[in-house]
Amino acid sequence: MPDFGKYQPYTWIKDRDMMKRIAAFLLVILLSLSNWGAVSAQADPVENKAKVLYDLGLLKGTGNGFSMESMEMDRNATRAEICVSIVRMLGKEEKAEYQANAHPFPDVPLWASNAVGWLYENYLVNGMSESYFGAQDIATVTQFATMLLRVLGYEDGAGDFAYASAVPFAKEKGLLDGEIETHWELQRRDMIAMCYNALRLPIQNSHRMLIEKLCDEGAADRALANELGIMKKPSLSEAFPDVPEILGTISATRQSDVVCIHFDQMAEHYGLRIFMRESENGVMTEIKPDGTPGFQKGPIRYQNGGSAGFVSDLYIHGLSNHAYSFIVLKTSSEGVIYEMLGKSAVAQLQEG
């Protein structure tokens, strides 16, 4: 039997405990390194957006197939490139090639000419001068934000926004974030992120997102867009962001098989429209007066001898017992929506 001496057994036990602690410490380090490696291996969020756009056929790289190398994320984008990217994102490549719209810019290369021509014809892009486009110039965030805002229905010429304030206006609408806002030159990663964001934004004064419009036009596959998670529906308040809230607060209550929308102030009855969003699936629809579900107006009252009639209640019939949110719009017509004059606050109706 070995002779450990007087203190060796105790020392050995202490050393054994110490080794356990060291082993545990090393295990923690290894796990930490493993987790760090897993996090480092995760895709760049912009790469994820690029892959979604690529899978939908709305983005191409410089090579065959999808790869970070072909996306060239960290390279600055030229003005010619952003034109080609927007036309591709809108699914208008074939149309642009077929139409071959003329433009007054001899500096535009042949590979970008149809895209520039189509955008110029549709008032989505201008040159740096009447005869110089600046095709090979580095694009700026302001230029690209302006183009995408025009795609979404905002008109700088009509006063919706000013070119000089396009970037903060685009940030307010959710087109770009605080980091991109600080950039002057447009990197391709900024371009990709902004294209992705644009697809998920509602067209001005509409409850339709841009991606929904593209799916309706056949430029993107709806089932694939749903599968890729880009079809996230905007809330009712997000769907009509620029309409003034002049109809006040409304409430929604269920009375037997009828849902009553009550205004806290009388509303002029002509041109009232109701939009509904079902909480379970996020689908947004307009409730028509003669549809199923449909709505009818409460008693029309004429105030102070005026010719305009006012209502305080709208009644919706044919709704199932689910949770919904509602918004009422005041429009200029009882038929086709030409102009939205005002909206109410959003009212919630719980299930049951």
Side-chain angles (χ1 to χ4, degrees):
M1 182 174 180
D3 183 8
F4 292 110
K6 185 175 181 181
Y7 297 106
Q8 280 187 334
Y10 177 73
T11 303
W12 180 80
I13 293 173
K14 285 181 65 178
D15 291 343
R16 183 177 61 182
D17 291 341
M18 181 63 70
M19 291 189 67
K20 285 183 178 179
R21 293 192 187 99
I22 292 172
F25 176 75
L26 290 174
L27 181 60
V28 169
I29 295 297
L30 287 171
L31 289 173
S32 298
L33 289 173
S34 175
N35 290 335
W36 178 85
V39 170
S40 299
Q42 289 178 354
D44 182 332
V46 181
E47 181 186 350
N48 294 335
K49 294 179 179 182
K51 186 66 165 63
V52 169
L53 295 177
Y54 180 85
D55 289 345
L56 286 170
L58 305 179
L59 175 71
K60 291 181 182 177
T62 57
N64 296 323
F66 178 83
S67 69
M68 286 297 292
E69 291 75 19
S70 69
M71 293 297 110
E72 299 183 351
M73 294 279 194
D74 297 319
R75 178 172 63 78
N76 288 331
T78 66
R79 282 174 52 83
E81 284 179 318
I82 65 175
C83 291
V84 171
S85 294
I86 285 185
V87 170
R88 183 169 292 142
M89 181 191 75
L90 296 177
K92 301 297 184 183
E93 275 188 298
E94 290 186 8
K95 189 169 187 178
E97 183 178 352
Y98 172 77
Q99 291 182 343
N101 300 110
H103 59 76
F105 309 117
D107 66 298
V108 173
L110 184 62
W111 60 267
S113 183
N114 289 335
V116 171
W118 188 87
L119 292 170
Y120 183 74
E121 178 72 17
N122 288 277
Y123 305 99
L124 296 175
V125 71
N126 297 312
M128 303 299 288
S129 71
E130 290 186 0
S131 59
Y132 177 70
F133 188 74
Q136 300 305 322
D137 295 351
I138 299 301
T140 67
V141 173
T142 299
Q143 291 167 354
F144 196 57
T146 298
M147 293 173 68
L148 287 179
L149 287 169
R150 291 170 181 163
V151 166
L152 291 168
Y154 298 99
E155 298 182 34
D156 44 326
D160 291 334
F161 69 98
Y163 176 80
S165 59
V167 171
F169 184 80
K171 181 185 176 185
E172 176 188 329
K173 299 302 176 186
L175 188 57
L176 52 85
D177 59 22
E179 180 181 351
I180 296 177
E181 184 184 24
T182 65
H183 299 171
W184 175 254
E185 296 180 332
L186 181 79
Q187 288 190 334
R188 283 178 57 85
R189 66 171 51 249
D190 298 337
M191 180 186 75
I192 290 168
M194 291 170 69
C195 284
Y196 180 92
N197 295 340
L199 293 177
R200 293 165 62 87
L201 291 176
I203 299 167
Q204 185 191 27
N205 290 340
S206 170
H207 64 285
R208 268 202 315 172
M209 294 186 300
L210 179 59
I211 183 62
E212 291 182 286
K213 179 177 183 291
L214 298 185
C215 289
D216 291 342
E217 294 174 350
D221 182 81
R222 186 177 299 273
L224 181 58
N226 272 309
E227 180 183 335
L228 295 172
I230 200 170
M231 292 287 282
K232 177 181 176 291
K233 301 288 186 178
S235 68
L236 285 173
S237 57
E238 292 171 334
F240 309 100
D242 301 314
V243 181
E245 191 171 302
I246 63 173
L247 297 184
T249 301
I250 61 172
S251 60
T253 57
R254 187 181 293 278
Q255 302 171 0
S256 185
D257 60 344
V258 175
V259 172
C260 176
I261 304 294
H262 178 74
F263 295 86
D264 70 340
Q265 60 188 39
M266 298 286 282
E268 203 277 308
H269 83 96
Y270 183 81
L272 290 182
R273 321 287 278 254
I274 304 177
F275 282 81
M276 170 191 78
R277 182 177 181 184
E278 188 168 351
S279 301
E280 183 177 347
N281 54 30
V283 172
M284 190 181 306
T285 56
E286 180 181 0
I287 302 176
K288 304 284 189 177
D290 55 353
T292 302
F295 82 92
Q296 62 189 54
K297 298 170 184 176
I300 298 175
R301 301 181 178 88
Y302 295 87
Q303 299 179 338
N304 303 321
S307 59
F310 291 78
V311 296
S312 59
D313 296 295
L314 303 174
Y315 300 102
I316 306 172
H317 54 83
L319 281 181
S320 56
N321 293 331
H322 292 163
Y324 303 96
S325 56
F326 301 94
I327 193 169
V328 180
L329 301 181
K330 178 73 170 70
T331 66
S332 61
S333 170
E334 291 277 280
V336 176
I337 299 179
Y338 293 109
E339 185 179 5
M340 297 187 189
L341 305 176
K343 67 182 177 184
S344 71
V346 176
Q348 305 291 336
L349 178 69
Q350 298 304 315
E351 191 169 356

